[in-house]
Amino acid sequence: MFLRSKYQVVFSKPKKAILSNIEESIFKSFPDYNGKKFKGEVTDDGFEVKVMGNEYLSFIGKFVSDKNNEELLKVSIGVKYFDVLILVLLLGIFVPFYTDENSGTTYGIILISLGLAIFMGYSYYNNVKDMKKIFFDVLKNFDQDCKIISINKFIY
């Protein structure tokens, strides 16, 4: 994952109840996207979901046991490398078209690229913040007593 944030979530409810609630949120009202919050898949020990309306940000969770044999959910939030590769390939396709039509204007290309990078970085930051809030609000709705602890932010 690229630009990954890591969290640890401690639930007061059992793992199976949390995973079944996440699975219900994924598959509930499948044809009607208005009531659906997530898409993805749930396994026996975790999940990989994306918030509806955001195709590139992934939430990958896995239940692990700590020293006291308590079940903790470790959540990684970020962009998969495959999604970054697709974005780079798309940019690689469109940039040559612009440079062929406007040859000799390298300053324009640099300024446009810089402006695009700043805009994309700012929109990514705001979008991630909103998607994390949606995801963690849903987890809080599953278990009001859960504790969400940030482990690391933006690991490359």
Side-chain angles (χ1 to χ4, degrees):
M1 284 188 129
F2 185 70
L3 296 175
R4 177 174 53 158
S5 298
K6 291 178 104 178
Y7 292 87
Q8 180 177 328
V9 184
V10 180
F11 291 104
S12 63
K13 293 184 178 181
K15 168 178 82 170
K16 290 196 185 265
I18 298 300
L19 288 175
S20 68
N21 284 338
I22 292 171
E23 188 170 23
E24 182 181 315
S25 180
I26 289 173
F27 296 113
K28 181 175 73 175
S29 67
F30 182 71
D32 179 21
Y33 280 61
N34 293 330
K36 191 174 170 188
K37 292 198 184 312
F38 303 111
K39 65 180 184 177
E41 71 177 292
V42 176
T43 63
D44 292 338
D45 290 329
F47 57 85
E48 181 176 335
V49 298
K50 295 182 181 202
V51 177
M52 292 298 290
N54 190 331
E55 301 303 319
Y56 60 87
L57 188 64
S58 297
F59 294 81
I60 299 173
K62 183 171 174 104
F63 278 95
V64 295
S65 296
D66 68 351
K67 302 176 224 176
N68 304 329
N69 268 347
E70 292 180 359
E71 294 276 329
L72 304 172
L73 178 65
K74 299 235 176 189
V75 180
S76 294
I77 304 169
V79 180
K80 289 184 164 185
Y81 290 120
F82 183 72
D83 294 335
V84 173
L85 179 66
I86 289 173
L87 180 64
V88 168
L89 289 175
L90 286 174
L91 286 174
I93 291 171
F94 291 116
V95 168
F97 289 122
Y98 181 78
T99 57
D100 286 345
E101 290 177 6
N102 302 315
S103 58
T105 58
T106 56
Y107 292 119
I109 294 170
I110 292 171
L111 288 176
I112 289 172
S113 299
L114 185 62
L116 185 62
I118 291 170
F119 175 75
M120 288 177 64
Y122 182 72
S123 65
Y124 174 79
Y125 172 76
N126 283 334
N127 198 5
V128 167
K129 194 168 60 169
D130 294 342
M131 294 300 122
K132 282 182 188 179
K133 182 176 179 351
I134 290 170
F135 181 75
F136 288 130
D137 284 349
V138 169
L139 288 183
K140 283 275 194 191
N141 285 339
F142 294 157
D143 184 2
Q144 296 292 325
D145 297 328
C146 74
K147 295 176 189 150
I148 301 168
I149 304 160
S150 176
I151 297 173
N152 277 339
K153 292 198 176 194
F154 295 120
I155 300 171
Y156 297 97

